[in-house]
Amino acid sequence: MTATATEHVKLTMAQALNRALRDSLAADPTVVVFGEDVGALGGVFRITDGLTAEFGEDRCFDTPLAESGIVGVAVGMAMNGLRPVVEMQFDAFAYPAFEQIVSHVAKMRNRTRGRVTLPMVIRIPYAGGIGGVEHHCDSSEAYYAHTPGLHVVAPATPADAYALLREAIASPDPVVFLEPKKLYWSKEEVELAAPVPGIGRAVVRREGTDATLIAYGPTVPVALEAAAVAAQEGRSLQVVDLRSIVPFDDETVCAAVRSTGRAVVVAESSGFASVSSEIVARVTERCFHSLHAPIRRVTGFDIPYPPPKLEHFQLPGVDRVLDAVDDLQWEDR
């Protein structure tokens, strides 16, 4: 991949993430990348492919199979002037590191009254849709979003994957970077130097006038497909891509919902006590007098992740989204 940052290049999300890591390593000598099999192998999903060969084993290297140790080492590195980017091999593999993340990564700035910051990124391939088994398909965003002190982002396009990862690595504060595994092979033309909204900003992916679909990460393509099908049936659906779960962009989301008066939140994770619950609560609080119907949710069920042959029942699909849209009290129009 020889394109410069000013050129348009066609990239998969996996290639865009690899390019973001490569450009960050080249631009900043304090950036280091490490995790399980990220060195010579290039990671399970090849996100770090070629980085060890290009930058050496001091900048991109393998670690033991010990997630708590990986994050703990990253904390020490960040406290001493480096910018570590660590990879948790799969979503549920990150749980052994949860104590480090909640007790130290998230609290260090507050604990030291701002004297010590932790500029580090925790990359987590997450969510389902790849035919994986339990521990490989969790939607774990609620755990991190509920923890003050962390930024939590989930890109849905290769362009956002590149831009948000570059911004996350440059951030002075820790970022949990959730990568939708099933979108690793999605592809689009990316202008690497193009300005894009930063962390904390949502975008409207499709304009519409009848109802707003609110999605993030792996459910954005589902929402867009549902909107396309609805258009064939004469219904105009707007699609908002959150991009950033924490900070949450109330301004863009609420403006979108107020413009249509109806909304459905689409998320892969279980619905109970989830990010989707929080979205419904805060949008209802802020947009109550503009709503024509209660906000609906389409989420994963409140069960452990099912076996591969059953995951299509668990994942939000177009039909479930359109069923929820049908329930938005259209008879009151």
Side-chain angles (χ1 to χ4, degrees), residues 114-282:
R115 288 191 290 271
V116 178
T117 60
L118 295 182
M120 59 184 286
V121 178
I122 302 172
R123 293 183 41 244
I124 303 177
Y126 95 115
I130 62 166
V133 295
E134 66 170 15
H135 284 82
H136 295 71
C137 295
D138 276 15
S139 292
S140 47
E141 62 267 34
Y143 305 132
Y144 307 110
H146 186 68
T147 303
L150 301 175
H151 290 176
V152 184
V153 301
T157 68
D160 267 357
Y162 177 83
L164 290 176
L165 184 54
R166 291 296 307 271
E167 184 176 351
I169 294 171
S171 171
D173 289 306
V175 178
V176 176
F177 197 90
L178 299 170
E179 301 169 3
K181 291 189 291 289
K182 74 175 184 181
L183 300 183
Y184 273 150
W185 302 277
S186 62
K187 199 168 191 176
E188 71 175 2
E189 189 168 276
V190 178
E191 183 182 358
L192 299 176
V196 298
I199 293 174
R201 301 299 298 179
V203 298
V204 176
R205 293 287 180 202
R206 180 187 176 109
E207 298 290 349
T209 57
D210 292 332
T212 301
L213 305 181
I214 304 168
Y216 56 91
T219 57
V220 172
V222 177
L224 289 169
E225 185 180 355
V229 173
Q232 297 172 8
E233 300 171 352
R235 188 166 279 167
S236 174
L237 301 183
Q238 182 185 50
V239 177
V240 174
D241 176 2
L242 293 183
R243 304 171 73 250
S244 172
I245 299 171
V246 181
F248 188 86
D249 186 357
D250 287 302
E251 180 183 2
T252 299
V253 174
C254 290
V257 174
R258 289 189 187 104
S259 73
T260 64
R262 292 177 171 82
V264 175
V265 181
V266 188
E268 268 195 34
S269 62
S270 301
F272 185 79
S274 64
V275 169
S276 64
S277 307
E278 174 64 21
I279 296 169
V280 171
R282 64 195 304 122

Side-chain angles (χ1 to χ4, degrees), residues 301-312:
F301 301 113
D302 296 327
I303 59 172
Y305 201 81
K309 290 184 178 179
L310 299 177
E311 74 170 350
H312 62 284

